[in-house]
Amino acid sequence: MTLSPLERPTNPATAAFARPYVISWNLTYRCNLACEHCYLDAGGKPLVQTANFADRSELTTDQCKKVIDDICEFAPEALVILTGGEPLLRRDILDIVRYAAKRELWVVVGSNGVRITENLARILKGEGVRGLALSLDALDPSVHDGFRRVRGAWQNTVDGAKHLAAAGLPFIIQTTAGAHNRGELEEIAEFAYTELEARVWNLYFLVPTGRGQFVSDLAPSDYDEVLASLEKIQREYRGRMVVNAKCAPHYVRQLLAGDPESPFLKAFDGGAGGCPAGTHYMGIRPNGDVTPCPYLPVFGGNLKSSTLSAVWKDSDLFQDIRRRKELGGRCGSCELQSVCGGCRARAYGMTGDLMAEDPLCTHEPGAFSPRQLEALGDRTGLASLSRYGEDSSTSIAWAPEARARMKRVPAFVRGMVVRSVESHCRKNGIATVTVEELDAIRARMPTPKVFGRPS
């Protein structure tokens, strides 16, 4: 039997960071909004004048297809987020989507939702888009429109979400926490679930890059209060809507302190902790520059002159950012380093050093006693945590139909799902994983299906 690149046995020491599983690809600087916190400084007149924002050229259609071929060769079945700017402003967006989906990439579109119509929603679904991500930052339209700098943006995004729901195309609602909405986060989550029928609500914690460097309006202690609210929201929507903290690896501290048995405790494999930048995740700029994270404006190479594999494996930048045991400040001495490690993009944005401590985190190393850590798991592994990017090879028998079912699971979580399924079967004396057993396990999971492949 021939194993796919996702299933081939590899050296455990190098397997964890062997390839990216999620790629965020900024296709364009063009945008129909002018959001005050935009990390790409997209749309309108550029405000950021530094060299790493100077080249605002964009890849051609043929160059984009070549990048897709490159991704498929090095990172098959990767989850690729086509975003911008506003990606739907590219005239060739359907060509790009169609080509990527045909190559069996998991295509998600990151949009502000303004251009989504009933017809476009149907077309995107028909061309192979698995889902979309839309931004909504307040319940008051005037507050959202002020944050996005275009009147009518709120209504257009809400209408777009309803068109997607009607078309049966899953979508995520994304909210950036700030002074303008910190008092209504629970209400925004309720609106996303009840009114918009979102599958996922992601709460983003600002990274000061692009125009975002001019916008920070919450202190670290304020963000701690937001994290506490998020834990409550996450529990409330368990099994109904996935609720995530984004760009906030230190959320793990909140969960460990409040609920050590939380099913939402997750980290990235190989000691990457809670920040996958350059270990499981990467970004591509409109001009082909490659970065460990879209919020991190430093580059390991350009895909017009290099390959994805070469940048990922050989560039100094990507090699350096994986040295998570060499972090500075509190992150370097923290007992939670292997499951948190801070946000590398925020460290760079606030200090200029991507290996510095995350200034947003208020945790003081040593707050968790050795006894607490022992109860949670190994200090350097917290082995009971679910981990993204694990090897997906199997260790017990699988029925052919069950093995085929796993192909519907995105590559970056497939290994985690396989491990969980096999652990359950061993505990219950089940010798062979069947489709029926997969259905039974899925019914008991705390989160709903999001972007799975259709039956």
Side-chain angles (χ1 to χ4, degrees), residues 68-379:
I68 290 168
D69 291 338
D70 199 6
I71 293 171
C72 292
E73 181 176 349
F74 180 57
E77 299 182 74
L79 174 65
V80 178
I81 305 164
L82 302 178
T83 185
E86 174 49 62
L88 298 180
L89 291 178
R90 279 195 64 136
R91 294 181 179 180
D92 59 357
I93 184 61
L94 293 180
D95 288 338
I96 294 170
V97 165
R98 188 181 304 116
Y99 191 78
K102 186 178 180 180
R103 296 299 313 270
E104 296 191 332
L105 295 177
W106 289 68
V107 181
V108 175
V109 174
S111 169
N112 55 42
V114 170
R115 290 178 63 89
I116 302 293
T117 63
E118 185 177 350
N119 186 50
L120 181 56
R122 286 197 301 266
I123 291 172
L124 290 172
K125 183 178 181 180
E127 295 293 357
V129 170
R130 301 300 184 92
L132 280 85
L134 310 180
S135 297
L136 191 74
D137 293 296
L139 292 182
D140 183 337
S142 65
V143 174
H144 175 90
D145 292 355
F147 191 61
R148 299 286 168 176
R149 301 293 177 89
V150 172
R151 183 176 297 178
W154 186 93
Q155 190 61 57
N156 286 332
T157 297
V158 169
D159 290 345
K162 292 182 177 180
H163 292 319
L164 293 173
L169 192 52
F171 62 91
I172 291 169
I173 291 295
Q174 317 216 97
T175 300
T176 299
H180 62 285
N181 61 16
R182 61 177 293 200
E184 62 173 12
L185 294 176
E186 292 184 33
E187 290 78 9
I188 293 174
E190 175 64 22
F191 184 80
Y193 176 72
T194 303
E195 299 296 325
L196 302 183
E197 302 180 56
R199 300 280 186 92
V200 180
W201 183 60
N202 286 338
L203 184 62
Y204 276 80
F205 290 70
L206 186 70
V207 175
T209 186
R211 291 200 293 268
Q213 65 188 286
F214 310 123
V215 183
S216 183
D217 58 4
L218 289 180
S221 58
D222 296 326
Y223 278 113
D224 281 349
E225 294 181 9
V226 173
L227 289 174
S229 297
L230 184 64
E231 183 186 6
K232 177 182 177 183
I233 296 169
Q234 201 171 51
R235 287 197 306 267
E236 182 177 347
Y237 288 94
R238 179 178 176 179
R240 298 188 293 159
M241 177 176 72
V242 178
V243 175
N244 294 314
K246 291 293 185 177
C247 304
H250 57 296
Y251 180 51
V252 70
R253 176 199 63 179
Q254 178 78 33
L255 291 176
L256 288 173
D259 182 9
E261 301 299 322
S262 172
F264 304 109
L265 280 168
K266 292 180 173 65
F268 293 90
D269 203 23
C275 178
T279 62
H280 301 74
Y281 179 51
M282 60 172 288
I284 304 173
R285 288 279 172 122
N287 69 343
D289 281 338
V290 180
T291 171
C293 169
Y295 299 101
L296 189 56
V298 289
F299 313 113
N302 187 285
L303 295 181
K304 286 184 287 190
S305 57
S306 186
T307 65
L308 188 70
S309 174
V311 175
W312 182 267
K313 293 178 180 178
D314 302 330
S315 70
D316 290 342
L317 172 62
F318 278 77
Q319 292 294 325
D320 290 344
I321 202 170
R322 294 173 190 147
R323 298 188 174 100
R324 299 301 169 89
K325 293 187 181 299
E326 299 177 20
L327 299 177
R330 288 173 297 135
C331 285
S333 59
C334 185
E335 71 274 24
L336 301 178
Q337 181 192 103
S338 68
V339 291
C340 175
C343 172
R344 296 302 93 218
R346 184 178 297 108
Y348 180 84
M350 297 183 72
T351 72
D353 179 1
L354 60 84
M355 302 299 281
E357 68 178 46
D358 183 343
L360 193 60
C361 180
T362 60
H363 180 69
E364 290 297 331
F368 286 91
S369 69
R371 180 171 295 181
Q372 286 175 296
L373 292 173
E374 184 179 353
L376 295 170
D378 184 278
R379 180 187 185 279

Side-chain angles (χ1 to χ4, degrees), residues 382-399:
L382 290 178
S384 62
L385 287 176
S386 296
R387 291 183 175 275
Y388 294 114
E390 290 184 287
D391 176 34
S392 62
S393 57
T394 58
S395 60
I396 65 174
W398 284 64

